[in-house]
């Protein structure tokens, strides 16, 4: 809360962190990436410690928050990244594939419970998974792969997911004959 010269007050509130404490000093939150002396790529000011690979065999990303750490590796040596604001682009990380990794101020992940429930929702969209019992694990695994492939195809094509309430669902369309 700020006191204005005219005697009024101003309250500023942010949805995401606007400030970050870096080496004991408060700074404006800034995810612009830069290279450190040790060749790791880091954001200018984030609410937790994170670094990305500067190329080579080192871990792709390393993060530490609230005493917990996470490190993500890449199966092959990475090329030197091209830095573009808050994004590091590793050209040809795999043949024909550019790997992009983006820094976030607070790294707020989706709660694990929501992720699990959302995944079950996607799987249950396929009636077979919701109603049938599979005796063979391999068959169930194949149906799960089919459900996830369908989900990815819908996302890529931009098609909206049909719900069981929709009158245009394939099993509700009656053809004469």
């Amino acid at each position: 809360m700020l006191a204005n010269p005219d005697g009024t007050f101003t309250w500023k509130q942010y949805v995401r962190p606007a400030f970050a404490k870096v080496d004991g000093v408060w700074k404006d939150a800034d995810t612009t990436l830069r290279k450190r002396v040790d060749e790791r790529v880091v954001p200018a000011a984030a609410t937790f410690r994170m670094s990305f690979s500067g190329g080579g065999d080192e871990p792709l990303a390393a993060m530490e928050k609230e005493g917990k750490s996470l490190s993500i590796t890449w199966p092959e040596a990475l090329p030197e990244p091209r830095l573009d604001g808050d994004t590091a682009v590793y050209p040809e990380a795999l043949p024909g594939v550019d790997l992009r990794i983006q820094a976030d101020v607070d790294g707020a992940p989706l709660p694990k419970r929501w992720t699990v429930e959302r995944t079950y929702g996607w799987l249950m969209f396929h009636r077979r998974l919701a109603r049938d019992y599979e005796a063979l694990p391999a068959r169930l695994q194949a149906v799960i792969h089919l459900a996830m492939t369908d989900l990815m195809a819908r996302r890529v094509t931009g098609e909206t997911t049909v719900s069981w309430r929709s009158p245009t669902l394939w099993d509700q369309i009656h053809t004469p004959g």
Side-chain angles (χ1 to χ4, degrees):
M1 181 168 294
L2 302 171
N4 300 318
D6 63 358
T8 61
F9 294 94
T10 302
W11 174 265
K12 286 188 178 181
Q13 190 170 355
Y14 302 93
V15 176
R16 305 217 38 221
F19 307 99
K21 198 171 193 178
V22 180
D23 298 326
V25 178
W26 285 100
K27 298 182 177 185
D28 289 336
D30 183 4
T31 56
T32 305
L33 296 175
R34 60 181 172 76
K35 268 198 173 185
R36 288 191 314 212
V37 176
D38 67 353
E39 296 297 314
R40 294 289 293 173
V41 176
V42 296
T47 60
F48 68 99
R49 296 177 62 182
M50 75 177 92
S51 66
F52 304 141
S53 172
D57 291 326
E58 58 189 30
L60 170 62
M63 295 154 272
E64 185 181 325
K65 188 174 186 178
E66 299 173 359
K68 297 177 184 172
S69 62
L70 173 69
S71 179
I72 301 170
T73 59
W74 189 253
E76 298 180 16
L78 287 165
E80 185 174 339
R82 183 178 71 248
L83 305 181
D84 182 19
D86 65 350
T87 305
V89 180
Y90 299 86
E92 295 289 320
L94 292 174
V97 177
D98 291 351
L99 174 66
R100 299 173 61 91
I101 189 165
Q102 187 174 14
D104 195 12
V105 172
D106 62 353
L110 203 58
K112 196 177 286 187
R113 183 183 65 96
W114 291 356
T115 306
V116 171
E117 288 175 2
R118 184 180 61 198
T119 302
Y120 280 132
W122 290 330
L123 292 173
M124 292 306 128
F125 172 71
H126 294 269
R127 186 178 174 96
R128 177 184 173 111
L129 288 174
R131 304 288 178 247
D132 292 348
Y133 171 78
E134 294 291 348
L136 300 173
R139 190 178 305 153
L140 179 60
Q141 184 179 6
V143 175
I144 290 173
H145 283 289
L146 178 66
M148 290 294 107
T149 302
D150 178 55
L151 173 67
M152 288 187 293
R154 288 175 186 275
R155 284 185 173 176
V156 169
T157 62
E159 181 182 333
T160 58
T161 304
V162 179
S163 75
W164 63 273
R165 294 184 184 105
S166 175
T168 58
L169 191 61
W170 65 271
D171 62 351
Q172 295 176 357
I173 298 173
H174 301 287
T175 55

